[in-house]
Amino acid sequence: MKRQCVDGALDAAHPGLCFHREVLTYLRWSAIRRDFLEALQASPHLRFIEPKKLWRHSQEALGKWVLSQLARDTRGDRDAASSVSFFPTRAMLSSGTYDEQLIRDVSLKCESSGTPTVVAKIKQLIASFNLSKRCEDAAAEVLQELESASPSIYCTPSLRIIDAAEVGNRTGSQRRVHGAIAEISVRQPKHARHGCPPVSIPLAAYKKLEMCYKHFAEKTDGERYPRLDYGNRFLLRAATIALRYEGCLATGSLQLCADISLKQHLHAAGYHVMDLCASPINAYMGSPKTGSYNNNEDSSLEGEKVPNHFCSAFPDTDCYFGSLGSALKFDVEAAYNSPVVNPEKKPLLLTLDVPYDEDLCERLFSKLVNDMQQAASKMMIANEKQLPPPFVVDYVLVLPLWWDLPMERKKLLFTTSGGPPLSSDEEEASMDAIFKERSAVLNNGYTVPYEWPQRLAKTAGKSWVCFDGIFVGDSYNYFCTITNKWIPGVTATEVIGLAQPRATADGGQLLETLFASFYGTQQA
């Protein structure tokens, strides 16, 4: 099985090498996570609110730390796309690593989280732990091992399907999954010092990956690696994805999907719907279907039948399943005019679903503000020249209700799943208290500065925003792709529709009309 290029260098894209590299990465990242947990537990100055959950909390915080570094990748698009390391390195980050969000995430789990003493101790611990150097060393070790190892001793994946009715032999995490499970284990060489635990995803998610792989990569992968049969090629690619997201990253934001029925509703109305904050497992790939608010009972994974592009943090593993790369480098106009991405030149409906930490929100929504300003400017030039719009794009934002977004549109308050918004009198009595309670989260612990809510509201003005809904209690359901279940009451949620200002003939009122029909509201 050839794993080298013509010049003798390693073929970094070879399915077998990619999987072996991911196993090595997983093992080293797991060691870093264990060391970090031990450092937190050993600190005499930090007392944690939920010490029994510290493993999960620290693991998620480190996953978010990785995403923050990827968001600061200063390389050109081509270099970034060819990157094969999960670990942030100096080659990626010309200004060093960003630790502020990690400091905040750890502080929120501590007693007396906002006191200067606690924050100072957390900063000291993180500085002395030196994640940057540990990641640099781990990346170098992985590369050295790849270059010195014979392909004949590379790790390989094995797949076991656990039937939906087979409950007794499931692990604790597997019991949370509805339906059948695809469990991916790692066959390692006999001399391996550390075993690699299996990872599991719903079988429906595994089938979704296969649908995407067949559409986006089967032909080119087959031509490039003819010695590998289709079954082995796909298993290697899918197993690499499972290890990356469920093994290495292990952060909940990329397991949740916002209301799929709204996306299907917009899809049915003629939009090309794409997610900008996604993974191959949770990206929208549903069929167009006219629907209504919270009319969702079936598994979203099992209903996704349409391969679709999306943006994600890891193009090195995700490109075989439709990823266009980072949302922070996404070119809206190029995507709209691309015969590959948008062959029918439909209006784009881009979603930003549940990015939940302050750092990533600041970067994603600052990019959105810039894109909106460019769209408005180009539309104005086209109007002056009496030309059609150079591109058509609308947005749906789905956010935890932590930020006070001062949009120039009346907010509608939903308190009952599937029900209409409250009347004006009831709404006014509740809204202020809700915002005060929810926004207090951002003032707890070590605070990270952000400016995007005001910038977004100012840019949107009255011309962009066409819907602003607040959902509290169990009124908004998320779908969890790792458990294959709908989850009510995850968090209070704000849903915002942003429609590019354009003439009615160019679909200027389309998004507002569709929101009104979906949520049963009167247009303002």
Side-chain angles (χ1 to χ4, degrees):
M1 194 183 297
K2 190 175 181 180
R3 293 172 176 82
Q4 291 182 321
C5 299
V6 176
D7 61 2
L10 288 173
D11 179 1
H14 190 285
L17 186 144
C18 287
F19 179 73
H20 186 61
R21 179 179 58 237
E22 202 63 30
V23 173
L24 299 177
T25 298
Y26 181 24
L27 292 173
R28 281 160 178 78
W29 182 237
S30 295
I32 291 172
R33 290 191 300 204
R34 284 194 300 271
D35 290 347
F36 187 67
L37 174 65
E38 290 173 3
L40 293 175
Q41 291 172 327
S43 173
H45 306 288
L46 301 180
R47 295 177 63 85
F48 293 96
I49 299 169
E50 297 179 288
K52 292 183 179 179
K53 295 182 180 179
L54 188 57
W55 165 241
R56 179 167 63 84
H57 291 159
S58 64
Q59 183 171 270
E60 288 195 350
L62 289 176
K64 289 165 65 177
W65 179 85
V66 169
L67 293 176
S68 284
Q69 312 319 310
L70 292 172
R72 288 167 169 76
D73 191 341
T74 54
R75 297 169 300 171
D77 289 347
R78 180 173 296 180
D79 291 336
S82 63
S83 169
V84 293
S85 178
F86 170 84
F87 295 111
T89 62
R90 285 189 295 271
M92 286 173 53
L93 304 166
S94 59
S95 301
T97 57
Y98 173 86
D99 296 335
E100 299 296 290
Q101 186 71 48
L102 179 59
I103 295 167
R104 170 166 171 74
D105 289 338
V106 173
S107 76
L108 288 172
K109 305 305 177 185
C110 292
E111 296 178 0
S112 305
S113 61
T115 62
T117 301
V118 168
V119 170
K121 294 301 180 182
I122 294 171
K123 287 184 175 181
Q124 182 181 358
L125 183 150
I126 289 174
S128 63
F129 191 78
N130 203 342
L131 268 169
S132 176
K133 184 177 187 307
R134 288 172 185 259
C135 288
E136 194 80 35
D137 292 346
E141 290 167 6
V142 169
L143 181 59
Q144 182 180 14
E145 189 160 342
L146 283 174
E147 290 176 337
S148 61
S150 165
S152 63
I153 62 168
Y154 279 2
C155 297
T156 56
S158 64
L159 174 69
R160 181 170 78 99
I161 304 300
I162 302 175
D163 189 77
E166 187 180 338
V167 177
N169 294 327
R170 294 190 179 197
T171 64
S173 60
Q174 288 174 343
R175 290 191 193 101
R176 296 169 53 227
V177 180
H178 172 73
I181 293 173
E183 182 186 75
I184 296 168
S185 301
V186 179
R187 299 191 195 98
Q188 294 177 268
K190 294 180 180 179
H191 68 272
R193 289 177 294 173
H194 302 289
C196 184
V199 292
S200 300
I201 60 175
L203 181 60
Y206 188 80
K207 290 180 177 179
K208 177 179 178 178
L209 290 176
E210 184 164 23
M211 171 190 73
C212 296
Y213 180 77
K214 284 181 177 178
H215 182 81
F216 290 111
E218 178 185 7
K219 185 175 185 294
T220 53
D221 247 8
E223 291 171 352
R224 188 170 181 179
Y225 307 109
R227 295 185 184 182
L228 275 175
D229 62 51
Y230 166 78
N232 280 319
R233 280 198 315 273
F234 167 66
L235 177 57
L236 286 163
R237 295 293 190 206
T240 303
I241 285 286
L243 274 180
R244 174 66 58 92
Y245 281 95
E246 298 308 317
C248 291
L249 191 64
T251 182
S253 64
L254 289 172
Q255 298 173 347
L256 292 177
C257 299
D259 191 348
I260 309 298
S261 54
L262 173 60
K263 297 179 184 181
Q264 290 180 301
H265 185 70
L266 300 175
H267 188 175
Y271 278 107
H272 184 85
V273 180
M274 287 173 50
D275 290 337
L276 297 185
C277 302
S279 74
I281 294 174
N282 80 340
Y284 172 71
M285 298 185 190
S287 302
K289 181 181 178 183
T290 301
S292 59
Y293 164 44
N294 268 358
N295 182 23
N296 41 35
E297 297 178 357
D298 299 331
S299 163
S300 283
L301 284 170
E302 290 164 7
E304 297 205 280
K305 307 291 185 184
V306 184
N308 192 18
H309 290 94
F310 56 94
C311 288
S312 68
F314 301 109
D316 64 304
T317 55
D318 301 354
C319 63
Y320 307 101
F321 303 90
S323 175
L324 298 172
S326 170
L328 294 168
K329 298 181 179 180
F330 181 69
D331 186 325
V332 179
E333 185 172 2
Y336 175 80
N337 290 300
S338 168
V340 174
V341 176
N342 189 22
E344 298 178 47
K345 270 206 170 178
K346 294 182 177 181
L348 293 181
L349 191 289
L350 304 179
T351 78
L352 286 154
D353 284 1
V354 290
Y356 69 104
D357 67 65
E358 295 83 353
D359 172 50
L360 288 181
C361 278
E362 178 69 16
R363 302 187 78 81
L364 286 166
F365 290 113
S366 294
K367 166 72 161 55
L368 172 60
V369 166
N370 293 337
D371 286 349
M372 289 167 64
Q373 291 170 342
Q374 286 189 20
S377 175
K378 291 185 177 184
M379 181 67 78
M380 186 181 299
I381 294 171
N383 288 340
E384 290 173 354
K385 296 181 178 180
Q386 297 185 328
L387 296 172
F391 59 95
V392 180
V393 59
D394 294 338
Y395 297 88
V396 173
L397 318 182
V398 182
L399 295 160
L401 191 63
W402 297 341
W403 294 274
D404 184 3
L405 287 161
M407 292 294 185
E408 294 186 39
R409 188 180 180 95
K410 178 179 171 58
K411 296 181 187 291
L412 303 174
L413 180 60
F414 296 79
T415 60
T416 306
S417 180
L422 296 185
S423 67
S424 296
D425 292 342
E426 296 172 305
E427 192 177 274
E428 289 179 12
S430 304
M431 197 77 79
D432 288 345
I434 291 169
F435 275 114
K436 185 176 181 180
E437 175 193 352
R438 295 291 170 172
S439 63
V441 173
L442 293 174
N443 298 319
N444 295 338
Y446 177 71
T447 56
V448 174
Y450 57 91
E451 299 177 350
W452 69 267
Q454 289 70 33
R455 291 187 62 210
L456 179 59
K458 182 179 179 180
T459 300
K462 293 181 179 179
S463 59
W464 276 84
V465 61
C466 65
F467 180 85
D468 192 350
I470 304 297
F471 299 80
V472 297
D474 290 343
S475 63
Y476 195 92
N477 291 346
Y478 289 92
F479 184 78
C480 179
T481 53
I482 200 56
T483 62
N484 198 24
K485 294 177 183 176
W486 286 99
I487 309 177
V490 173
T491 182
T493 297
E494 184 164 10
V495 178
I496 296 173
L498 298 174
Q500 177 189 19
R502 56 187 183 272
T504 302
D506 295 319
Q509 303 298 315
L510 178 60
L511 188 61
E512 183 171 16
T513 302
L514 291 170
F515 264 107
S517 66
F518 185 80
Y519 287 110
T521 59
Q522 296 294 320
Q523 296 183 48

